[in-house]
Amino acid sequence: MKKEIGTLMLLSIFALSGCSLDNSKTVTQETVKASSEQVTQSEQKNGTNLIEASDDEKVKLYALNEAKNEIKGVILDIDGKQNNFDWEIPYTGTKPQLFYTDLTNDSKEEAVIIIQTGRGTGLDNFDIHVINVEDFSEIKVQSYEDIVANEIKSNVVKNDDGTLTITAKAQGKESKFDYEFDPAPDFNQDELAFGGVVIYKLENQRIKLNIPGSVGVSPVYVVDFNITYKFDSAKNEFIIDQIETIPIEK
């Protein structure tokens, strides 16, 4: 009889232990699941939809507000530190380009963000932002409008034979060439037009800009202006360094 009671007690202990283990397992699974859901909901609530990251993942860009055709407002993450910017990113099919590199020659990296702002027939526009990684202040980049107004002079002459004679002067250097047809004979134009194509890129830790000049109503691009920037530490600004003028072959 004692042997039977002992066996029964032993079985009861095992049964109770099994229940305890099963309950513990259930609680742990539910806790992990709830925690995971909480993190996911928190990320969605804070608008942390990743747009793009630099190759080294030091710089990341997240969407704050997403509308039908564009993103309005972003979170810029630089090596774990974050700040909001009111940049707008239209859905053009081209993602922003992000870089973490030293452009100011002070052995400290900057965050560089290049965003396509317009795209279409004869249209290809980009903006560039250079951000100080320590305080998230933006370092000014001389605009293409300022460069065109102060550094580039041009003249377009319509010839009787239907050709154009184009003169372009930049940084004291003059280029003169003939363009073999006039795309808009009835359109009065005495200088090149700019703004249809504005393309920024980074090359060898320097900012480059391509702004071709055009003629006609539906722009026909006839000459490339390739601009290289340099950093002016006194102004804390990227300003023009060199302009290369290259006629575009038809």
Side-chain angles (χ1 to χ4, degrees):
M1 182 68 177
K2 289 182 179 179
K3 185 176 181 180
E4 291 176 357
I5 293 173
T7 302
L8 184 60
M9 289 178 66
L10 188 61
L11 289 171
S12 299
I13 291 169
F14 277 117
L16 289 170
S17 298
C19 290
S20 177
L21 287 171
D22 288 343
N23 289 338
S24 175
K25 185 177 180 181
T26 302
V27 170
T28 303
Q29 288 175 338
E30 290 177 352
T31 302
V32 171
K33 183 179 179 182
S35 176
S36 175
E37 289 176 350
Q38 188 176 18
V39 170
T40 303
Q41 290 172 358
S42 176
E43 288 178 348
Q44 291 174 347
K45 185 177 180 180
N46 292 333
T48 53
N49 181 24
L50 180 66
I51 302 170
E52 189 57 282
S54 58
D55 288 342
D56 57 9
E57 297 192 344
K58 291 283 189 178
V59 184
K60 298 177 182 178
L61 199 62
Y62 296 91
L64 263 180
N65 301 299
E66 296 187 60
K68 184 177 180 180
N69 297 314
E70 65 180 347
I71 293 169
K72 293 186 175 182
V74 299
I75 301 170
L76 178 63
D77 184 303
I78 305 175
D79 207 16
K81 297 187 294 183
Q82 295 185 342
N83 197 52
N84 294 1
F85 290 90
D86 60 357
W87 303 335
E88 295 185 358
I89 305 176
Y91 293 127
T92 63
T94 300
K95 287 188 175 183
Q97 303 167 55
L98 277 63
F99 306 90
Y100 186 72
T101 187
D102 179 15
L103 295 181
T104 57
N105 299 315
D106 62 354
S107 300
K108 296 179 182 179
E109 286 80 5
E110 286 77 43
V112 183
I113 301 91
I114 299 175
I115 299 170
Q116 188 175 50
T117 57
R119 180 180 180 180
T121 303
L123 178 69
D124 197 6
N125 285 178
F126 288 82
D127 279 346
I128 187 169
H129 303 278
V130 182
I131 305 298
N132 184 311
V133 301
E134 294 181 351
D135 60 8
F136 281 88
S137 60
E138 184 160 1
I139 303 172
K140 183 180 178 181
V141 178
Q142 186 178 7
S143 69
Y144 88 86
E145 295 97 337
D146 187 64
I147 293 171
V148 169
N150 296 294
E151 303 290 345
I152 297 174
K153 305 299 178 185
S154 65
N155 182 246
V156 177
V157 176
K158 294 175 178 285
N159 301 316
D160 293 337
D161 61 359
T163 63
L164 299 174
T165 297
I166 297 169
T167 305
K169 188 175 182 180
Q171 292 184 315
K173 297 178 181 179
E174 184 174 284
S175 299
K176 189 173 183 178
F177 60 95
D178 291 328
Y179 197 72
E180 62 184 47
F181 81 101
D182 184 351
D186 299 325
F187 180 62
N188 186 23
Q189 181 177 2
D190 58 5
E191 62 182 15
L192 296 171
F194 294 89
V197 173
V198 180
I199 300 176
Y200 290 97
K201 65 179 181 178
L202 290 192
E203 189 175 294
N204 297 323
Q205 292 182 287
R206 301 193 74 178
I207 299 172
K208 299 290 186 79
L209 169 64
N210 172 243
I211 46 169
S214 68
V215 294
V217 180
S218 297
V220 174
Y221 296 100
V222 295
V223 55
D224 269 326
F225 293 88
N226 296 319
I227 295 157
T228 302
Y229 286 85
K230 65 181 179 181
F231 181 66
D232 187 326
S233 57
K235 293 182 177 180
N236 191 37
E237 178 182 350
F238 291 96
I239 62 173
I240 188 172
D241 183 22
Q242 298 175 345
I243 302 179
E244 181 185 29
T245 305
I246 304 174
I248 298 173
E249 298 292 336
K250 177 179 174 293

